[in-house]
Structure formats: structure tokens, C-alpha cells
């Protein structure tokens, strides 16, 4: 029974991973530009952010997050952070950095992938709505006990770890076959995609707020 719940959680967690978004693109850029284990620390940052949102879902905070003003605030914050990270990647091609250095893994030459990935995931509106909204609905529908919910959540987190580790691996392979100039261009391209994601989310949030009014 325990294994089945974990597998169910894994399949459920893969739903979020299939929808390729800004977090996945950022992790791919880490796989390209960083060592495997440094990029993997970014994956752990994503897993931690997901775990925190799952904990909030279990604690029953979904009704608070579903308030229109709260959702709008999260969306705007997420938009700004996604665009900021996109600009950081894009401008990196020109040797320009706009984010402060955050050294927690002993390399003072670059910012911590763990913290960056954690912040990007935490501010991503899709992550918030999925874990606190959809996760709560699913576990309530199944009438899970506390133990069942924890096992289901563990499986969902395993999905995040598995899928994004695969993305890091693909980025590392890309790194081995392309020149540094091409890799830098590809990284900048990822930055532009993140900026696109951010602007699209921001415009959608503003449009939705106007419709509500």
C-alpha cells in the first residue's frame, strides 16, 4: 500500500514537470553552464521549495492563497523574479551580472544555484497554484490519512528530483558537444525564454485583475 501511494504521488508530480516552464528552463541552463553537482544543487533548491508548498497545502492554507489579492500579489512577484532571472542569463553572454552573489557552496565566483532555483520556484505562480491548490484538492478527494498524504507527497517530490536531474544530465551532455560560444548563446536564449514567460504571466495577471474589476 505504501509503495502504491508513493507511485501515485510520483505520477501526480510528473504532471507539473511535463508542463515545461521557467524553472525547468533555468535548471537546463545550469546543466549547460555549471558542473553536474553544482547544477544538481539547484534541483535540490526546487525540491525544497516544492516541499514547503506541499507542507502549506497539508496545513490547509489553500483558502488563504486562493484570495484574489493574494494570488495577484504572488503573480506580480513571480513575474518580476522570472524576468530578473531571465535578464541575468541573457546579459551573462555580455559578462554582465545584475543579481548579487550568494555563496553557500564554497565557490565565490558565482551565485548559488540552490538559492536561485529556490527563489525562482517559490515565486513561480504555477508552482503555488499547483501544489497548494491542486494537491489539496487531490488529497481531499481521496480522503487520505496523514500518513497517506505524506507518502503521496514524498512520491511527488521524487518526481521533481527525478525529472530535473534528467534535465541537468541533458544540459551536461549538451555542454560536452558544443563550443563555449554556442553554449553562451544557448544560455542567453534560455534567458530570453524566461523573460517571455515572465512578461506573459505578468500581462495575464494584469488582464485578469482588470476583468475582475
Amino acid at each position: 500500500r505504501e509503495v502504491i501511494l508513493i507511485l501515485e504521488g510520483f505520477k501526480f508530480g510528473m504532471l507539473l514537470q511535463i508542463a515545461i516552464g521557467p524553472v525547468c528552463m533555468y535548471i537546463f541552463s545550469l546543466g549547460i553552464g555549471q558542473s553536474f553537482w553544482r547544477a544538481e544543487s539547484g534541483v535540490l533548491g526546487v525540491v525544497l521549495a516544492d516541499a514547503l508548498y506541499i507542507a502549506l497545502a497539508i496545513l490547509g492554507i489553500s483558502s488563504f492563497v486562493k484570495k484574489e489579492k493574494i494570488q495577484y500579489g504572488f503573480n506580480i512577484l513571480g513575474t518580476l523574479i522570472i524576468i530578473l532571472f531571465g535578464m541575468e542569463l541573457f546579459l551573462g553572454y555580455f559578462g554582465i551580472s545584475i543579481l548579487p552573489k550568494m555563496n553557500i557552496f564554497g565557490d565565490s565566483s558565482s551565485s548559488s544555484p540552490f538559492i536561485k532555483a529556490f527563489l525562482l520556484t517559490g515565486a513561480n505562480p504555477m508552482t503555488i497554484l499547483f501544489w497548494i491548490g491542486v494537491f489539496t484538492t487531490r488529497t481531499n478527494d481521496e480522503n487520505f490519512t496523514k500518513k497517506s498524504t505524506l507518502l503521496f507527497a514524498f512520491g511527488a517530490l521524487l518526481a521533481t528530483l527525478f525529472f530535473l536531474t534528467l534535465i541537468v544530465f541533458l544540459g551536461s551532455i549538451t555542454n560536452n558537444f558544443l563550443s563555449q560560444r554556442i553554449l553562451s548563446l544557448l544560455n542567453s536564449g534560455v534567458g530570453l525564454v524566461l523573460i517571455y514567460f515572465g512578461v506573459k504571466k505578468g500581462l495575464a495577471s494584469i488582464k485578469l485583475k482588470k476583468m475582475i474589476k
Side-chain angles (χ1 to χ4, degrees), residues 38 41-42 44-46 48 104-105 112-119:
R38 220 175 136 68
S41 73
L44 295 180
V46 177
L48 177 59
I104 64 171
F105 288 99
S112 164
F114 177 86
I115 294 179
K116 280 187 171 184
F118 176 81
L119 292 175

Side-chain angles (χ1 to χ4, degrees), residues 85-198:
F85 276 64
M87 291 176 63
E88 171 80 1
L89 287 176
F90 176 71
L91 294 175
Y93 179 76
F94 305 99
I96 301 173
S97 177
I98 59 176
L99 294 177
K101 304 300 180 185
M102 299 171 285
N103 176 32
I104 64 171
F105 288 99
D107 184 358
S108 59
S109 64
S110 59
S111 299
S112 164
F114 177 86
I115 294 179
K116 280 187 171 184
F118 176 81
L119 292 175
L120 184 60
T121 305
N124 184 10
M126 184 177 177
T127 306
I128 298 167
L129 295 175
F130 183 87
W131 289 124
I132 296 185
V134 181
F135 182 87
T136 302
T137 302
R138 175 63 190 274
T139 53
N140 286 342
D141 289 345
E142 298 290 340
N143 294 317
F144 282 167
T145 63
K146 283 188 177 181
K147 180 181 179 181
S148 298
T149 300
L150 290 174
L151 290 171
F152 188 82
F154 178 69
L157 291 175
L158 282 180
T160 300
L161 181 63
F162 170 79
F163 183 83
L164 292 183
T165 297
L166 180 61
I167 295 300
V168 169
F169 179 70
L170 292 176
S172 298
I173 292 177
T174 302
N175 191 6
N176 292 330
F177 287 98
L178 299 178
S179 68
Q180 190 58 47
R181 180 176 176 81
I182 297 298
L183 290 173
S184 296
L185 283 173
L186 186 57
N187 232 8
S188 292
V190 172
L192 288 176
V193 172
L194 288 181
I195 292 172
Y196 167 76
F197 272 119

